[in-house]
Amino acid sequence: MRIISGTHKGKRIKAPKNLPVRPTTDMAKEGLFNILNNTYYFDEVSVLDLFSGTGNISYEFASRGTKKSLCVDENLKCVNFINKTAKNLSFEGISIIQSDVFKFLTNYNQQKDIIFADPPYEMEGLNKIIDLVFEKKILSKKGTLVIEHSSKKDFSKQNFFTNNRRYGNVYFSFFKWEQNEE
């Protein structure tokens, strides 16, 4: 895994083998950031990274100038790895909370511009993430929710869905407020 662009472009990050993660591939991450780059100035957004795993996505945002990223992961080994890596890379704007994502979203009350969720591909109940983000108004009005998933998931009938993209075996579904505004 490597940082694709920004101040730490090309920096490789090696995660320990004992982390229960499936990092977003470099090809998929590059495609995702090309899309987001056309909509946002990264130094002006706040990010919520759900099911953070290695912190791969948050490092990419930080390298591109994002000043505030909040990572949420339930696994203590992942939390410790993100803390250590963010410190080693001097990404002071990355913070992490160890929590179950669904409990976290239920109690969270701040708005974020970009919310990225990379849950385990086989996890059930992913629609609840979308429901909580929009019901609790965690996503800012001009924000984007991105969920990474496998080909087995189809969110196209879900409220607030705008589109999806495929990069190899990785799919991203995008959700925004605008689709349901009159």
Side-chain angles (χ1 to χ4, degrees):
M1 140 179 87
R2 69 182 169 90
I3 296 175
I4 299 194
S5 188
T7 59
H8 289 68
K9 180 180 181 177
K11 175 77 174 163
R12 294 207 174 272
I13 299 166
K14 186 157 174 68
K17 293 186 192 285
N18 65 348
L19 292 184
V21 296
R22 172 201 29 76
T24 303
T25 65
D26 288 350
M27 178 183 75
K29 186 169 59 169
E30 186 167 8
L32 171 65
F33 276 85
N34 285 340
I35 293 167
L36 295 174
N37 192 48
N38 288 322
T39 306
Y40 298 100
Y41 293 106
F42 293 121
D43 61 343
E44 297 177 0
V45 298
S46 59
V47 173
L48 179 58
D49 184 358
L50 303 172
F51 304 96
S52 300
T54 62
N56 183 16
I57 295 297
S58 287
Y59 307 141
E60 190 68 40
F61 274 111
S63 181
R64 292 170 185 245
T66 301
K67 293 170 183 55
K68 293 280 183 196
S69 292
L70 177 58
C71 300
V72 180
D73 201 283
E74 191 170 30
N75 186 285
L76 181 60
K77 289 178 184 176
C78 291
V79 169
N80 291 338
F81 179 75
I82 293 170
N83 274 328
K84 178 182 172 189
T85 305
K87 187 175 182 178
N88 288 345
L89 295 172
S90 299
F91 289 150
E92 295 172 8
I94 294 178
S95 56
I96 182 147
I97 293 175
Q98 182 184 4
S99 177
D100 170 82
V101 165
F102 297 99
K103 288 180 185 173
F104 171 82
L105 289 173
T106 300
N107 297 309
Y108 194 66
N109 61 5
Q110 295 179 30
Q111 286 194 331
K112 298 294 184 180
D113 301 306
I114 300 173
I115 301 174
F116 180 81
D118 185 8
Y121 280 3
E122 69 282 352
M123 180 179 268
E124 295 297 320
L126 296 182
N127 291 358
K128 186 171 180 174
I129 294 170
I130 302 160
D131 295 340
L132 284 168
V133 163
F134 286 94
E135 285 170 17
K136 306 240 336 136
K137 296 181 170 71
I138 299 169
L139 186 67
S140 68
K141 282 295 184 186
K142 300 282 186 198
T144 302
L145 167 64
V146 182
I147 298 182
E148 181 176 331
H149 58 91
S150 72
S151 62
K152 295 177 185 173
K153 303 282 184 193
D154 179 9
F155 292 104
S156 62
K157 304 284 190 254
Q158 179 75 27
N159 286 337
F160 307 105
F161 175 84
T162 59
N163 67 328
N164 64 19
R165 299 287 174 89
R166 175 182 175 206
Y167 299 93
N169 294 326
V170 176
Y171 290 75
F172 295 116
S173 286
F174 297 83
F175 304 85
K176 294 183 177 211
W177 284 105
E178 291 100 35
Q179 293 306 108
N180 285 14
E181 290 182 345
E182 298 180 48

